[in-house]
Amino acid sequence: MEEKEAVCRGAELADGELSGAPPPRDCTAACCHGGAKMAVLAYSLGKREINQHFTIKNAKLISLAAVLLLLVFHAASRYYEGGDSCEWLLSRGRYLGEDVWQPYGCMMHKYKSIEAKTCLSEKRVAFVGDSRIRQLFYSFIKIINPERKEEGNKHEDISFEDKSYSIKVDFLWYPEANNSMKERLISWTHEGSAKPDVLVLGAATWSIKLHGGSNEALQQYKVNLTAIVGQLEKVAEHGEVYWVLQDPVNEEVLSENRKMITNQQLELYNEAAVDVLNSSKRNGRSRVRLVAASRQAALETIIKSDDGLHLPESTRSVGAMILMNSVCNKILRPIDGSCCQTLRAPNLLQKLSALFFLGSAVVFVVFHILGNNRHRRHVPPDVESLEEKKPATAAVPPGPKAPFQALCRMGVIMGYFYLCDRADVFMKEQKFYTHSTFFIPLIYIFVLGVFYSDNSKEAKLLNREQTDEWKGWMQLVILIYHISGASAFIPVYMHVRVLVAAYLFQTGYGHFSFFWLKGDFGLYRVCQVLFRLNFLVLVLCVVMDRPYQFYYFVPLVTFWFVVIYTTMAIWPQILQKTANSSGVWHFGVLAKLLGLLIFICFFAFSQGVFERVFSVWPISKLFELNGSIHEWWFRWKLDRFAVIHGMLFAFIYLVLQKRQVLSEGKGEALFSAKISNFLLFLSVVSFITYSIWASSCKTKTECNEMHPYISVVQILAFILIRNIPGYARSIYSSFFAWFGKISLELFICQYHIWLAADTKGILVLIPGNPSLNILVSTFIFVCVAHEISLITNDLAQVVIPKDSMALLKRLGAMGTLSLVILLVSRAGQPTPGA
């Protein structure tokens, strides 16, 4: 009996320390039954042990050490093994899935016809070799012209020409590396001859076939290659030369007259080619590049070959795309084609930002040496409501050292951003979607979310802990959606679209509630919100050289905050205390919301007016992407009703709450039993119906047309399911709520330090182990996002003073600085036709 009481007391102590809630009254009766009680105790003590030792401060120190170690590792790896991404592209890789080739350490762009034509304009390309090279030739020209068919005699030269772009691609039949091939190469070295800009060669199977795989033939092959390699080097002085290593064969299905072409023989010929071509290196490098990646791809697909010798079309296409990336990436510089790209030099603003952060670090060091240590970090307010927990003691105002310390930390973080996504330090890989890469991580995070559950401080509908939890799990789902490339799967895409709409719904709900209850329309509050929403993005626009609209969600929530503020602030300003005096004022709020709805509908059905309004300089600088506002139009229109839905919901809820229609006590259902059961049933049916509809969608365009009108049903269904039962309102996931507090930073930071190539690919910190790489990069990414949220809070206290006159002066200075930056960036842009 004493043992049981001790166990109960331990459980009570653990629960009290973790949640601050009193232990359940029936602890002895319900929990003290052997295994069940021990499970509760282990669960509670386990959480306490984890929270005690694994703090966010310790996590950040570990992440900093990890980054430094990874920098040393990658620098050493490139020094000893070579860091030429072109070499990686041509030499090795792996299949992510059927027909999806991933080069080692870099991203391969999938070229479209117009891109290939632009790259090869006024160029001559020559393919020289046997039937396998002819296959590669056809796959190459099909990138340029997908309609081109494989026509022409097998053992003759074939020509392709695109006169509109002055592109000429030839296949020259030279099945053996012999004197005939050498003479052709010599003809291209003569003065005045039409030299190829790109030359692709390969031969061996005919030498094996004609000479029965004899050793003498192999020796002669080496001699011939040695004689040829000098001419290849000369041709390479004026263009690019590629020697394609021999692909494997499927010996079981080879015809009788090809049985001597074995994989063992092909390996001997490949080794001979590598030895001869590497021996011609000058200054440690040969101008003739070896193409081995297509051979590696063929190892997995040759079993699909019809005759055992020639590759399936999908594998040939991989080889052709590898060549296209090697030739064109350095010319067109596609963001998702990191292979073979040289580093772009930092622009003026990037250099100035580096000097600014460096100067801040110097000032910080000076203050530190002088011993000016007066700084206390403020409690960060929530972006939506800006409500703060007041500290028990008066906060010491930040000293002059504080902002420089924050800028110093920000400078270090921005250096990491630049190294990840603008410098050639870490590797990048492309995304590839499978159901397991999306749904398995999803299960993991929801298990963790359930494990870290605590009692809510209050049981109101959409209380603070619950909204943080909501933002947190939505953000985690969106992150998994992005890194897994799940946008390719339409049902997942449509459900994630609802999550984005739910964020905007919360924006409308949160800001409306604040203005309705507090009535604070002051400039200080507006500037605080705008600063917290935009600080990180504006810094990234400069450091990463990206337009504001690239981080589309921030312009979206900033725009809607301004709209909400304007709607609530214009005359007449109707607040809750005003409406309490007369119910007529409620109709005034509804009239304002109706006016906002008309405003939204007008712009939604007047694309021309919308584009003209947002194309005016300097407003256009905020909303243009690649010289067009189409992306802004698409994002704005897709969730155009989400914010007003949130505002209307907040209005109805707050009115019902004031009139005490709702039961919001702990453990109490929100409505009467009949109404609660009916609404819960309706909500579940809505969820299932939407999922069925999303699964039946054929195209994204079709689904997106319906999305603005039906997304609110899913959002309301979730709110009702989460809030109608009293026990559901009384608990929340502290795991999800923690992420919810930094959801904005997580969304923005993922662009460059978790994903790569501006979200097109995945950052690779640990090559060769995708699972470990995701774990390490995610750990560092989350720590960085949390630190940025604290830095933003620290700087907001300094940059946005409460004194109105000082604030106006700061705004004037910021406006002037912004105008200068806009003018500098405008002057730095190339003029049309230049």
Side-chain angles (χ1 to χ4, degrees), residues 17 50-51 67 109 120 295 380 506 541 550 587 626 677 822:
E17 287 182 359
I50 292 171
N51 293 336
V67 169
H109 179 65
L120 299 174
R295 172 183 169 277
Q506 282 200 48
C541 287
F550 175 75
F587 292 102
N626 300 323
N677 291 335
L822 285 173

Side-chain angles (χ1 to χ4, degrees), residues 27 53 57 66 108 175 226 265 301 320 482 497 529 553 611 697 768 814:
C27 174
H53 295 289
K57 183 179 179 180
M108 188 170 76
T226 304
Q265 282 286 319
T301 60
H482 282 158
R497 286 256 53 87
V529 173
F553 188 73
E611 290 180 350
C697 274
M814 289 180 189

Side-chain angles (χ1 to χ4, degrees), residues 273-542:
V274 171
D275 290 341
V276 171
L277 291 170
N278 283 340
S279 66
S280 68
K281 288 183 177 180
R282 296 177 183 176
N283 299 322
R285 181 174 179 178
S286 173
R287 287 197 182 98
V288 182
R289 291 185 174 274
L290 287 167
V291 182
S294 56
R295 172 183 169 277
Q296 195 173 352
L299 286 170
E300 300 186 34
T301 60
I302 190 62
I303 57 173
K304 299 178 183 178
S305 170
D306 294 330
D307 60 7
L309 178 67
H310 298 100
L311 297 176
E313 186 174 353
S314 60
T315 312
R316 289 151 41 195
S317 299
V318 168
M321 199 60 74
I322 287 172
L323 285 172
M324 192 67 77
N325 274 258
S326 182
V327 173
C328 294
N329 282 2
K330 53 186 168 289
I331 299 172
L332 299 185
R333 304 182 68 87
I335 193 66
D336 61 342
S338 62
C339 304
C340 295
Q341 278 204 44
T342 54
L343 288 177
R344 197 187 296 270
N347 61 26
L348 177 61
L349 286 177
Q350 287 173 310
K351 293 176 182 177
L352 290 174
S353 66
L355 288 173
F356 174 76
F357 285 121
L358 187 61
S360 299
V362 171
V363 175
F364 167 68
V365 170
V366 170
F367 275 119
H368 188 74
I369 292 171
L370 294 175
N372 193 328
N373 294 316
R374 188 182 64 171
H375 171 52
R376 177 169 178 170
R377 178 166 285 168
H378 291 249
V379 179
D382 180 75
V383 171
E384 295 297 338
S385 66
L386 287 187
E387 291 182 8
E388 299 185 24
K389 294 179 181 178
K390 295 183 179 179
T393 58
V396 178
K401 175 183 171 181
F404 294 104
Q405 183 183 27
L407 289 172
C408 185
R409 284 156 35 217
M410 192 68 178
V412 172
I413 291 172
M414 287 300 105
Y416 179 64
F417 271 76
Y418 192 89
L419 290 175
C420 285
D421 212 18
R422 289 296 177 270
D424 191 19
V425 175
F426 300 118
M427 299 175 179
K428 301 174 178 68
E429 289 188 353
Q430 53 230 33
K431 302 175 187 177
F432 178 70
Y433 175 75
T434 62
H435 292 322
S436 61
T437 58
F438 177 75
F439 288 104
I440 291 177
L442 211 61
I443 294 170
Y444 285 163
I445 65 161
F446 276 100
V447 169
L448 284 171
V450 172
F451 179 78
Y452 284 95
S453 59
D454 285 308
N455 294 324
S456 299
K457 293 177 181 177
E458 56 181 351
K460 291 182 179 180
L461 183 142
L462 290 181
N463 57 66
R464 175 56 49 78
E465 288 103 340
Q466 190 186 131
T467 53
D468 283 339
E469 172 200 89
W470 190 9
K471 287 189 288 186
W473 72 255
M474 287 196 303
Q475 185 57 63
L476 292 175
V477 172
I478 290 172
L479 290 175
I480 295 170
Y481 164 83
H482 282 158
I483 203 165
S484 64
S487 61
F489 187 47
I490 292 181
V492 172
Y493 167 82
M494 289 311 302
H495 283 84
V496 170
R497 286 256 53 87
V498 173
L499 301 188
V500 176
Y503 265 104
L504 294 173
F505 180 95
Q506 282 200 48
T507 298
Y509 173 86
H511 289 307
F512 179 93
S513 299
F514 180 88
F515 290 128
W516 174 256
L517 296 172
K518 305 286 186 180
D520 181 2
F521 297 98
L523 186 60
Y524 172 75
R525 200 263 171 177
V526 173
C527 292
Q528 282 275 321
V529 173
L530 294 178
F531 182 85
R532 294 175 191 280
L533 286 175
N534 290 276
F535 169 69
L536 174 58
V537 163
L538 293 177
V539 173
L540 288 176
C541 287
V542 176

Side-chain angles (χ1 to χ4, degrees), residues 516-577:
W516 174 256
L517 296 172
K518 305 286 186 180
D520 181 2
F521 297 98
L523 186 60
Y524 172 75
R525 200 263 171 177
V526 173
C527 292
Q528 282 275 321
V529 173
L530 294 178
F531 182 85
R532 294 175 191 280
L533 286 175
N534 290 276
F535 169 69
L536 174 58
V537 163
L538 293 177
V539 173
L540 288 176
C541 287
V542 176
V543 173
M544 306 303 288
D545 189 26
R546 280 293 171 263
Y548 181 64
Q549 182 58 37
F550 175 75
Y551 308 94
Y552 74 90
F553 188 73
V554 171
L556 206 55
V557 292
T558 301
F559 170 83
W560 284 116
F561 167 71
V562 173
V563 169
I564 296 166
Y565 175 83
T566 305
T567 303
M568 298 297 290
I570 58 174
W571 184 88
Q573 288 184 4
I574 306 173
L575 311 178
Q576 187 183 62
K577 59 184 178 182

Side-chain angles (χ1 to χ4, degrees), residues 510-756:
H511 289 307
F512 179 93
S513 299
F514 180 88
F515 290 128
W516 174 256
L517 296 172
K518 305 286 186 180
D520 181 2
F521 297 98
L523 186 60
Y524 172 75
R525 200 263 171 177
V526 173
C527 292
Q528 282 275 321
V529 173
L530 294 178
F531 182 85
R532 294 175 191 280
L533 286 175
N534 290 276
F535 169 69
L536 174 58
V537 163
L538 293 177
V539 173
L540 288 176
C541 287
V542 176
V543 173
M544 306 303 288
D545 189 26
R546 280 293 171 263
Y548 181 64
Q549 182 58 37
F550 175 75
Y551 308 94
Y552 74 90
F553 188 73
V554 171
L556 206 55
V557 292
T558 301
F559 170 83
W560 284 116
F561 167 71
V562 173
V563 169
I564 296 166
Y565 175 83
T566 305
T567 303
M568 298 297 290
I570 58 174
W571 184 88
Q573 288 184 4
I574 306 173
L575 311 178
Q576 187 183 62
K577 59 184 178 182
T578 309
N580 289 341
S581 61
S582 173
V584 177
W585 288 111
H586 291 134
F587 292 102
V589 174
L590 293 175
K592 281 191 173 187
L593 294 178
L594 179 61
L596 177 57
L597 179 63
I598 294 170
F599 164 81
I600 293 169
C601 291
F602 172 76
F603 273 109
F605 296 103
S606 307
Q607 185 176 352
V609 176
F610 184 95
E611 290 180 350
R612 282 195 292 273
V613 168
F614 290 101
S615 295
V616 177
W617 193 89
I619 297 175
S620 60
K621 296 297 294 184
L622 299 177
F623 300 104
E624 281 185 355
L625 188 63
N626 300 323
S628 169
I629 66 161
H630 177 76
E631 179 71 11
W632 167 239
W633 160 253
F634 169 76
R635 297 290 182 184
W636 180 88
K637 188 180 179 184
L638 197 58
D639 294 304
R640 59 188 181 272
F641 297 126
V643 168
I644 196 171
H645 286 151
M647 295 173 70
L648 182 60
F649 179 83
F651 173 69
I652 293 171
Y653 163 65
L654 292 171
V655 169
L656 293 178
Q657 184 189 58
K658 190 66 178 176
R659 295 178 181 274
Q660 299 182 346
V661 175
L662 307 175
S663 301
E664 293 185 301
K666 283 205 171 185
E668 295 181 349
L670 205 59
F671 303 101
S672 64
K674 288 184 178 179
I675 295 176
S676 295
N677 291 335
F678 172 74
L679 290 176
L680 283 173
F681 173 77
L682 195 64
S683 300
V684 171
V685 170
S686 299
F687 254 101
I688 296 171
T689 304
Y690 181 87
S691 296
I692 294 171
W693 172 80
S695 301
S696 65
C697 274
K698 296 178 180 178
T699 64
K700 289 182 181 180
T701 304
E702 173 190 320
C703 294
N704 286 339
E705 287 297 320
M706 291 293 296
H707 170 75
Y709 305 100
I710 62 176
S711 61
V712 67
V713 178
Q714 280 290 86
I715 296 168
L716 292 177
F718 168 78
I719 293 173
L720 293 176
I721 292 172
R722 183 68 180 84
N723 286 275
I724 286 177
Y727 64 85
R729 292 197 316 278
S730 301
I731 60 171
Y732 77 104
S733 169
S734 56
F735 175 78
F736 291 141
W738 188 89
F739 285 98
K741 290 181 174 69
I742 58 169
S743 59
L744 184 68
E745 288 79 12
L746 287 170
F747 188 86
I748 299 166
C749 289
Q750 67 168 323
Y751 279 69
H752 302 295
I753 62 169
W754 197 52
L755 304 174

